[in-house]
Amino acid sequence: MNSTRPPVLVVGAGPTGLVAALTFLRNGIPVRIIDKDSNPRIGQRGAGIMPRSLELFNFLDVPEVIDFAKPGPLARHYKPGTLEPLMESSVAPRIEPTPTIPFLSKMMGQQLLGAILERHLEKFSCSVEMGTELRSFKQSEKGITAVLEKNGILETFDTKWMIGADGAKGVVRKQLGLTFLGETRDDFHIITGDIRLTGVGLERPYWHQFGKFQERGISLRPSDEIGEDGWQFILSGGDLDLTKIAQSEELILETITSLIPTELTINQLVWVSEFRTDIRMVNKFSEGRVFVAGDAAHTHSPTGGKGLNSGVQDAFNLGWKLALVEKGLADKSLLETYNAERLPVISEMNNMTTSIFNQAVKTREMTFQRSPLIFMLHINYRFSSIVFDEFATPVEGRPINAYGVLGEDHLEAGDRAPEAPNMLQVGCGGSDVKTLFGLYRPWYHTVLVFAPSHGDANPILGVLKAYDQSVVRLAVVLPSSAPTTPVASPADLVLVDQEGHAYPAYFVEAGQMKVFVIRPDGVVGAIVRGAEGVKKYFSRIFLDV
């Protein structure tokens, strides 16, 4: 095999494939990414970005997603056949940001998101090869031989690993022979798309809802990404022949005009697609050296806003693990945890989104209040074989709650790592990092040593400094009462929790010694008492530890 070729081939350049590629590149792993479409996809598509995904983009250092995405507008419902408001509602629970949860749900169309991610790939001299289709592949213990086609010309490409992010109808899952069991729901059939129009009384701060779900109805969500007169629409049918309507721009525009009781000026139908709900998932996320992620691995009702979010989180979970294996720092068995961790999450996600969908069918409303669990902040891997917790009490037969439980007042290994802002740096390293989220990155583990004083942390730091700094970073977190004078340290950072956010977020008492290992994907990998516990955790990750 030609060693100069990228060791990873990503098939599919939607958000899942782009995040996978960027995660590998951030880890120093060259990647080739292809997409069978000749041009980048247009359209808003699934535009909801959950807080957990915004954290992911923060870790990947893609601030534009956080900066440019917009909060979801209030939904305004109208009395039948009129522009008289009936009620206003919020799809997502309304919460305020906190020091530990800084990001709220936002909306950004996949067309803009894709363009932003592609610009970040270009920083690493990587670009999506459009119009390049995977025709077939074979794999062995040593690698993969893929047959690609572009402009009718076949190419044989040798690589070590392949990620199938090529959607529900993609080639990778089918050729792997993975099952894709589930159902197609006949009770959800819509036309969705992007349109530019103006209308008397259609105020842009609102998500307008005319009619009811499953009856003749339309929703219009404002999106300046489409244009100053841009909207994403969802058209539901009742007795309408949506399949016929979807084939004709004239019929689409006639139907939209008939359902909105005001004078409209339609400027452009930008993009349109017919959609039915498929609820399916694979039996496993990989076979040999080939992995599937996103819609290639699972599809579900759109009512929970989980398609884009679950896909990019698949990619992020896999990316750091595969990077360590490719670098020769971890055994291939680490890759088995991709399936072991993501399968329960996706299974519970499908159950939750199907429940939301069933309620929408029952009530004929799409905009009822959802549980805060939709934010994905409680997703956890407590059940994973690679997390390690010296403080949690093992419970035999404990059920897996991969989506988490509301109202818990403790932190365990496998949970999301909380944020803590406005830290004061007293080390001599010269870094300007002032938040924990500014420290976490997808190409290294972060060891947080909570200690009453720097002197208390020194023995642990002396042992841990032996780890390769390119994949393990050390930080000491001191209580707010600690001196703020500069201190020399073997740690990469010494931070004083001057506003008292970190200690309660991580459930550490001021005089307590506690060590957290944060995985590259922002998950708490270990909670231990000292250096020996850290070494036990890393023995599950790295070779020769």
Side-chain angles (χ1 to χ4, degrees):
M1 186 178 298
N2 186 342
S3 61
T4 63
R5 292 189 170 192
V8 180
L9 174 65
V10 176
V11 182
T16 299
L18 292 169
V19 165
L22 185 56
T23 304
F24 293 129
L25 292 168
R26 290 281 187 199
N27 275 274
I29 304 298
V31 62
R32 183 178 184 184
I33 178 168
I34 64 173
D35 195 285
K36 69 177 182 179
D37 290 342
S38 298
N39 298 296
R41 294 175 184 84
I42 64 171
Q44 292 280 294
R45 303 175 189 264
I49 304 181
M50 297 299 170
R52 188 70 173 264
S53 298
L54 291 171
E55 294 178 2
L56 178 158
F57 290 118
N58 172 77
F59 299 147
L60 277 172
D61 197 19
V62 185
E64 302 96 320
V65 178
I66 298 163
D67 294 342
F68 298 156
K70 306 292 185 184
L74 281 175
R76 175 178 279 181
H77 305 254
Y78 295 89
K79 292 182 179 179
T82 75
L83 268 184
E84 184 180 348
L86 179 65
M87 61 174 289
E88 293 177 1
S89 65
S90 173
V91 175
R94 291 285 176 175
I95 62 172
E96 294 298 320
T98 68
T100 59
I101 303 173
F103 304 125
L104 305 181
S105 291
K106 290 188 173 184
M107 306 197 82
M108 174 180 281
Q110 292 190 27
Q111 182 175 345
L112 176 57
L113 176 61
I116 290 170
L117 291 170
E118 286 189 46
R119 284 198 291 270
H120 280 268
L121 294 188
E122 290 167 0
K123 295 178 182 179
F124 297 88
S125 300
C126 176
S127 59
V128 178
E129 298 177 40
M130 303 302 299
T132 304
E133 184 174 1
L134 174 70
R135 303 296 295 175
S136 64
F137 64 88
K138 293 181 179 180
Q139 63 171 318
S140 67
E141 291 185 3
K142 294 183 178 180
I144 299 164
T145 298
V147 178
L148 311 178
E149 181 179 354
K150 183 172 185 176
N151 298 327
I153 300 173
L154 296 180
E155 172 196 357
T156 299
F157 179 72
D158 292 330
T159 190
K160 293 182 178 180
W161 313 96
M162 185 162 68
I163 316 299
D166 51 346
K169 297 179 180 179
V171 173
V172 177
R173 183 194 68 250
K174 293 176 181 178
Q175 292 203 9
L176 273 184
L178 304 181
T179 61
F180 203 45
L181 300 179
E183 61 176 337
T184 299
R185 294 287 294 262
D186 294 328
D187 45 3
F188 186 84
H189 184 195
I190 62 171
I191 297 172
T192 184
D194 300 346
I195 194 168
R196 299 184 65 173
L197 62 79
T198 56
V200 177
L202 292 180
E203 300 175 44
R204 288 191 69 74
Y206 292 99
W207 189 336
H208 301 280
Q209 308 276 341
F210 298 96
K212 284 183 173 289
F213 171 59
Q214 284 204 307
E215 297 176 2
R216 291 194 179 196
I218 187 171
S219 75
L220 290 175
R221 179 181 65 83
S223 175
D224 292 340
E225 298 167 22
I226 303 168
E228 61 183 13
D229 57 352
W231 307 81
Q232 181 182 30
F233 72 88
I234 297 176
L235 181 64
S236 58
D239 59 347
L240 294 175
D241 187 346
L242 292 181
T243 299
K244 179 181 178 181
I245 293 171
Q247 307 307 311
S248 165
E249 178 172 337
E250 181 180 356
L251 289 177
I252 292 171
L253 300 183
E254 283 181 4
T255 305
I256 290 174
T257 301
S258 71
L259 291 171
I260 301 176
T262 190
E263 183 181 343
L264 298 179
T265 300
I266 296 177
N267 299 315
Q268 183 186 8
L269 181 63
V270 180
W271 170 81
V272 67
S273 177
E274 187 181 4
F275 183 87
R276 295 179 186 272
T277 289
D278 269 328
I279 304 171
R280 301 179 184 277
M281 64 181 293
V282 291
N283 55 322
K284 56 183 178 179
F285 278 65
S286 66
E287 181 67 48
R289 292 176 168 269
V290 183
F291 306 83
V292 290
D295 287 354
H298 44 83
T299 59
H300 44 86
S301 158
T303 49
K306 293 295 179 290
L308 179 155
N309 294 278
S310 57
V312 298
Q313 290 173 36
D314 288 344
F316 207 51
N317 182 287
L318 173 62
W320 70 270
K321 298 171 182 176
L322 185 52
L324 286 178
V325 172
E326 176 57 25
K327 290 176 182 178
L329 298 175
D331 186 77
K332 280 177 62 177
S333 60
L334 180 63
L335 301 176
E336 296 171 7
T337 66
Y338 170 56
N339 179 76
E341 291 183 350
R342 293 303 294 168
L343 204 61
V345 169
I346 299 304
S347 178
E348 289 192 25
M349 179 201 71
N350 262 351
N351 290 339
M352 183 177 70
T353 55
T354 301
S355 176
I356 294 172
F357 173 76
N358 289 337
Q359 187 173 348
V361 171
K362 181 179 179 180
T363 63
R364 298 185 178 183
E365 292 289 349
M366 291 281 284
T367 53
F368 57 84
Q369 191 83 353
R370 271 72 163 167
S371 161
L373 287 175
I374 70 165
F375 294 143
M376 310 177 90
L377 295 167
H378 296 79
I379 289 176
N380 67 85
Y381 306 125
R382 294 178 179 179
F383 52 88
S384 174
S385 63
I386 58 172
V387 304
F388 182 56
D389 196 321
E390 293 184 334
F391 292 87
T393 303
V395 179
E396 188 172 345
R398 180 184 187 183
I400 293 175
N401 288 312
Y403 243 79
V405 178
L406 295 176
E408 287 190 328
D409 58 354
H410 65 283
L411 187 69
E412 291 186 30
D415 289 351
R416 161 194 172 269
E419 165 69 307
N422 300 324
M423 312 279 277
L424 177 65
Q425 188 176 157
V426 297
C428 300
S431 171
D432 60 355
V433 171
K434 296 179 181 178
T435 73
L436 292 184
F437 275 12
L439 177 59
Y440 304 154
R441 289 296 179 263
W443 57 92
Y444 57 77
H445 279 79
T446 304
V447 180
L448 298 179
V449 181
F450 284 78
S453 70
H454 188 270
D456 294 316
N458 262 329
I460 297 175
L461 297 175
V463 174
L464 299 183
K465 199 60 183 175
Y467 288 104
D468 184 344
Q469 190 178 6
S470 69
V471 290
V472 177
R473 301 283 177 89
L474 308 179
V476 177
V477 183
L478 302 175
S480 58
S481 58
T484 59
T485 52
V487 57
S489 174
D492 299 285
L493 285 175
V494 181
L495 301 167
V496 174
D497 187 23
Q498 60 178 348
E499 295 187 2
H501 298 307
Y503 271 71
Y506 284 77
F507 295 89
V508 183
E509 301 295 331
Q512 187 180 19
M513 174 80 75
K514 210 168 186 179
V515 183
F516 297 78
V517 184
I518 311 303
R519 302 187 339 181
D521 56 358
V523 170
V524 179
I527 308 177
V528 297
R529 294 180 171 83
E532 288 305 310
V534 175
K535 292 195 319 192
K536 284 182 181 178
Y537 167 75
F538 280 137
S539 71
R540 304 177 180 200
I541 306 296
F542 298 127
L543 290 168
D544 303 323
V545 174

